[in-house]
Amino acid sequence: MKPANPLIIHLNDEIATLNLGERLAGFVQPGTVIALIGNLGAGKTTFTKGFARALGVDETSVTSPTYLLQQDYTTNRGFLLHHFDVYRLDDPDEFEALGVGETFDNGGVSIVEWADKAIDSMPKNTWWITIHHAEDGLSRTAELQLPEEIQRELNEA
Ligand code: ADP
Ligand code: MG
């Protein structure tokens, strides 16, 4: 499922990160799981805000759930958006104990910040997005590993 060549997208500013989330929301289907990897402050929640906005969720309600591991939002597409932030996870078993297996399969769309901390719990067909600080120290670079046809469409747009 992981294409050999990830798609690299430069994100010049916060708006670009929001827009990437917004664009990706146009491709998801019920059951899609998106894993976000990147250091603190990389832009994972920013991406999630843009993504949520495109699904009719009030983006100001999307925050880093510091104490909550999971936050659910009703979208205008008939499915729920499950937003996880597993930064504070000490033990990957804790994530399993939340019942994520069932949550991923319940017909909603899931986004998991810090998914690298729970890598064994992520489904095989997960979409992987890694956000790095770019060399200028200000902007960001996103590395996307999505289904090939979606990468192609994003690349051509
Ligand atoms: P994370 O969830 O990865 O910890 P956040 O999404 O909270 O990170 O973002 C941290 C900061 O980075 C925010 O102030 C946001 O405005 C900023 N930011 C997001 N994307 C970019 C970008 N492409 N270029 C510069 N700053 C960005
Ligand atoms: Mg965050």
Coordinates of all heavy atoms in Angstrom, one line a residue, residues 11-14 16-17 38-47 64 113-114 138-140, ligand 1:
L11 N 5.1 23.4 2.2 CA 4.1 24.2 2.9 C 4.7 25.5 3.3 O 5.3 25.6 4.4 CB 3.5 23.4 4.0 CG 2.9 22.0 3.7 CD1 2.6 21.2 4.9 CD2 1.7 22.1 2.8
N12 N 4.4 26.5 2.6 CA 5.1 27.8 2.8 C 4.7 28.5 4.1 O 5.5 29.2 4.7 CB 4.7 28.7 1.6 CG 5.9 29.4 1.1 OD1 7.1 29.2 1.6 ND2 5.7 30.2 0.0
D13 N 3.5 28.3 4.4 CA 3.0 29.0 5.6 C 1.8 28.2 6.2 O 1.4 27.2 5.6 CB 2.5 30.5 5.3 CG 1.6 30.6 4.2 OD1 0.9 29.5 3.8 OD2 1.4 31.6 3.6
E14 N 1.2 28.7 7.3 CA 0.1 28.1 8.0 C -1.1 27.8 7.0 O -1.7 26.7 7.1 CB -0.3 28.9 9.2 CG -1.5 28.3 9.9 CD -2.0 29.2 11.0 OE1 -1.7 30.4 11.0 OE2 -2.8 28.7 11.8
A16 N -1.0 27.2 3.9 CA -0.7 26.1 3.0 C -1.0 24.8 3.7 O -1.4 23.8 3.1 CB 0.7 26.2 2.5
T17 N -0.7 24.7 5.0 CA -0.9 23.5 5.8 C -2.4 23.3 5.9 O -2.9 22.1 5.8 CB -0.3 23.6 7.2 OG1 1.1 23.9 7.0 CG2 -0.4 22.3 7.9
G38 N 5.2 14.0 13.1 CA 6.0 15.3 13.1 C 6.2 15.8 14.5 O 5.4 15.5 15.4
N39 N 7.3 16.5 14.7 CA 7.6 17.1 16.0 C 6.5 18.0 16.6 O 5.6 18.4 15.8 CB 8.9 17.8 16.0 CG 10.1 16.9 15.8 OD1 10.0 15.7 16.0 ND2 11.1 17.5 15.2
L40 N 6.6 18.3 17.8 CA 5.7 19.3 18.5 C 5.8 20.6 17.6 O 7.0 21.1 17.4 CB 6.2 19.5 19.9 CG 5.2 19.9 20.9 CD1 4.1 18.9 21.0 CD2 5.9 20.1 22.3
G41 N 4.7 21.1 17.2 CA 4.7 22.4 16.5 C 4.9 22.2 15.0 O 5.1 23.2 14.2
A42 N 5.0 21.0 14.5 CA 5.2 20.7 13.1 C 4.0 21.2 12.2 O 4.2 21.8 11.1 CB 5.5 19.3 12.8
G43 N 2.8 21.1 12.7 CA 1.7 21.5 11.9 C 0.6 20.4 11.8 O -0.3 20.5 11.0
K44 N 0.6 19.4 12.7 CA -0.3 18.3 12.6 C -1.7 18.8 12.9 O -2.7 18.4 12.2 CB 0.1 17.2 13.6 CG 1.5 16.6 13.3 CD 1.9 15.5 14.3 CE 2.0 16.0 15.7 NZ 3.0 17.0 16.0
T45 N -1.9 19.6 14.0 CA -3.2 20.0 14.3 C -3.7 21.1 13.3 O -4.9 21.1 13.0 CB -3.2 20.7 15.8 OG1 -2.8 19.7 16.7 CG2 -4.6 21.1 16.2
T46 N -2.8 21.9 12.8 CA -3.2 22.8 11.7 C -3.7 22.1 10.5 O -4.8 22.4 10.0 CB -1.9 23.6 11.3 OG1 -1.3 24.2 12.4 CG2 -2.3 24.7 10.3
F47 N -3.1 21.0 10.1 CA -3.6 20.2 9.0 C -5.0 19.7 9.3 O -5.9 19.7 8.5 CB -2.6 19.0 8.8 CG -3.1 17.9 7.8 CD1 -2.8 18.0 6.5 CD2 -4.0 16.9 8.3 CE1 -3.3 17.0 5.6 CE2 -4.5 16.0 7.4 CZ -4.1 16.0 6.1
S64 N -5.4 20.5 20.0 CA -4.6 19.3 20.4 C -5.2 18.8 21.7 O -5.2 19.5 22.7 CB -3.1 19.7 20.7 OG -2.5 19.9 19.5
E113 N -2.7 12.0 15.4 CA -1.5 12.8 15.6 C -0.5 11.9 16.4 O -0.9 11.2 17.3 CB -1.7 14.1 16.3 CG -2.5 15.1 15.5 CD -2.6 16.5 16.1 OE1 -1.5 17.0 16.5 OE2 -3.6 17.1 16.1
W114 N 0.8 11.9 16.1 CA 1.8 11.1 16.8 C 1.6 9.6 16.6 O 1.9 8.8 17.4 CB 1.9 11.4 18.3 CG 2.3 12.8 18.6 CD1 1.5 13.8 18.9 CD2 3.6 13.3 18.7 NE1 2.2 15.0 19.2 CE2 3.5 14.7 19.0 CE3 4.9 12.7 18.5 CZ2 4.7 15.5 19.2 CZ3 6.0 13.6 18.6 CH2 5.9 14.9 19.0
L138 N 11.4 27.9 9.1 CA 10.1 28.6 9.2 C 9.0 27.8 8.6 O 8.0 27.5 9.2 CB 10.1 30.0 8.6 CG 11.1 31.0 9.2 CD1 11.2 32.2 8.3 CD2 10.5 31.4 10.6
S139 N 9.2 27.5 7.3 CA 8.1 26.8 6.6 C 8.2 25.3 6.9 O 9.0 24.8 7.7 CB 8.3 27.1 5.1 OG 9.5 26.6 4.6
R140 N 7.4 24.5 6.2 CA 7.3 23.1 6.5 C 7.3 22.3 5.2 O 7.0 22.8 4.1 CB 6.0 22.7 7.2 CG 5.7 23.5 8.4 CD 6.6 23.2 9.6 NE 6.0 23.8 10.8 CZ 6.3 25.0 11.3 NH1 7.2 25.8 10.7 NH2 5.7 25.4 12.4
Ligands
ADP1 P1 1.4 20.2 16.0 O1 0.0 19.8 16.1 O2 2.2 19.4 15.0 O3 2.1 20.2 17.3 P2 0.4 22.8 15.2 O4 -0.5 22.4 14.1 O5 -0.2 23.1 16.5 O6 1.5 21.7 15.4 O7 1.3 24.0 14.7 C1 2.2 24.7 15.4 C2 2.4 26.1 14.7 O8 3.0 25.9 13.4 C3 1.2 26.9 14.6 O9 1.5 28.2 15.1 C4 1.0 27.0 13.1 O10 0.4 28.2 12.7 C5 2.3 26.8 12.5 N1 2.4 26.3 11.2 C6 1.6 25.3 10.6 N2 2.0 25.1 9.4 C7 3.0 26.0 9.1 C8 3.8 26.2 7.9 N3 3.6 25.5 6.8 N4 4.7 27.2 7.9 C9 4.9 27.9 9.1 N5 4.2 27.7 10.2 C10 3.2 26.8 10.2

